[in-house]
Amino acid sequence: MADVNRGNRPLSPHLQVYRLPLAAITSILTRITGHALVAGILLLVWWLVAAVTSDAAFACADWVLRSWIGFIVMTGAAWALWYHLLAGIRHLFYDAGLGLEIETAQKSSMAILIGSGVLVLLSLILFFAF
Amino acid sequence: MRYITPLKAAKGLGASRTGTKDHWFLTVTACALALLTPVFMLVVGRAIGLPRAGVVAYFGQPFPAIVTGLFVIVGMLHFVRGTRIMLDDYLRGTALKVGIVVSVIFSYAVIAAAAYALARMGLAQFVLV
């Protein structure tokens, strides 16, 4: 079988070594960011409940929220939220049958990646400036 | 030829007759959240860093309370549907059932916790004075 001339046909992708196109990576990131947002909402709701519980509870939650752990979680959540928002809007267009061409999807992928980065920087600037 | 009756096509429920509602619910909540998210981030960003009394007073105001309440409720309902799609994709059998139960319980627990906190803060000025 190995010696059979198969001609110059395109081969189907080997799933283990298949390099995902950018549009596939940005698509699966939508799901990942959506679920990772659990960390952000948990931290925030814990902080809100602590504020109506006791001084000690609030001191603990507030310390975590404003420590470097909280900074990483909240900055990550802000990015995930912006990313999920932009990618979600793209999925609404996908649902309407728009932007499904490979080149358009490539461009929208870049727009989502760059856009979410810019928006999270803007959010951080707004947060620390005011 | 189409093997689908005009009625079936008009109903638009697909082969399983379920799931279309979930998809539509995700679409509607996605639109709501697209508008809510930037406002929510601004609201929360202004509250982080306040002392405890400041946080309670801040979320006692109508606008921050309503935006935060809406975001958590609509966000977690959106999360339940989104998680369900992921669970359906990756899990089977008992693991799938357990996953769905856990995600639903978790989501409503988060909603209840946030609603409780916001209610306490909204009532704080009347109850604690």
Side-chain angles (χ1 to χ4, degrees), chain A residues 47 51 55 73 79 81 83 89-90 104 106 108-109 113 122 127:
Chain A
W47 182 69
D55 278 332
V73 172
W79 176 74
L81 201 48
Y83 183 94
I89 289 171
R90 178 173 71 167
T104 319
Q106 189 83 7
S108 61
S109 296
L113 287 171
L122 209 69
F127 178 72

Side-chain angles (χ1 to χ4, degrees), chain A residues 4-91:
Chain A
V4 173
N5 180 14
R6 292 167 190 270
N8 192 21
R9 296 178 293 150
L11 298 169
S12 64
H14 191 289
L15 288 178
Q16 298 294 315
V17 294
Y18 183 53
R19 190 170 63 88
L20 289 171
L22 190 60
I25 294 169
T26 53
S27 178
I28 193 64
L29 265 175
T30 314
R31 178 171 281 186
I32 294 168
T33 50
H35 287 87
L37 277 168
V38 163
I41 200 104
L42 269 182
L43 184 54
L44 265 184
V45 170
W46 174 43
W47 182 69
L48 285 176
V49 172
V52 294
T53 305
S54 68
D55 278 332
F58 183 73
C60 179
D62 200 50
W63 181 84
V64 173
L65 185 66
R66 293 165 68 185
S67 68
W68 61 271
I69 309 163
F71 176 77
I72 290 172
V73 172
M74 293 317 283
T75 307
W79 176 74
L81 201 48
W82 281 122
Y83 183 94
H84 196 78
L85 192 154
L86 292 180
I89 289 171
R90 178 173 71 167
H91 268 283

Side-chain angles (χ1 to χ4, degrees), chain B residues 11 15 27 39 45 57 59 64 68 70 77 82 89-91 95 109 115 122:
Chain B
K11 283 181 174 171
T27 305
V39 184
F59 285 101
T68 307
L70 263 182
L77 293 179
D89 281 352
Y90 300 140
L91 298 178

Side-chain angles (χ1 to χ4, degrees), chain A residues 81-82 84-86 88-89 92, chain B residues 26-40 71 74 78:
Chain A
L81 201 48
W82 281 122
H84 196 78
L85 192 154
L86 292 180
I89 289 171
L92 293 179
Chain B
L26 271 172
T27 305
V28 172
T29 49
C31 293
L33 287 164
L35 300 173
L36 264 174
T37 298
V39 184
F40 172 73
F71 183 85
V74 179
H78 185 82

Side-chain angles (χ1 to χ4, degrees), chain B residues 51-77:
Chain B
R52 187 183 169 209
V55 172
V56 173
Y58 180 77
F59 285 101
Q61 298 171 289
F63 189 74
I66 292 171
V67 167
T68 307
L70 263 182
F71 183 85
V72 174
I73 293 169
V74 179
M76 291 317 288
L77 293 179

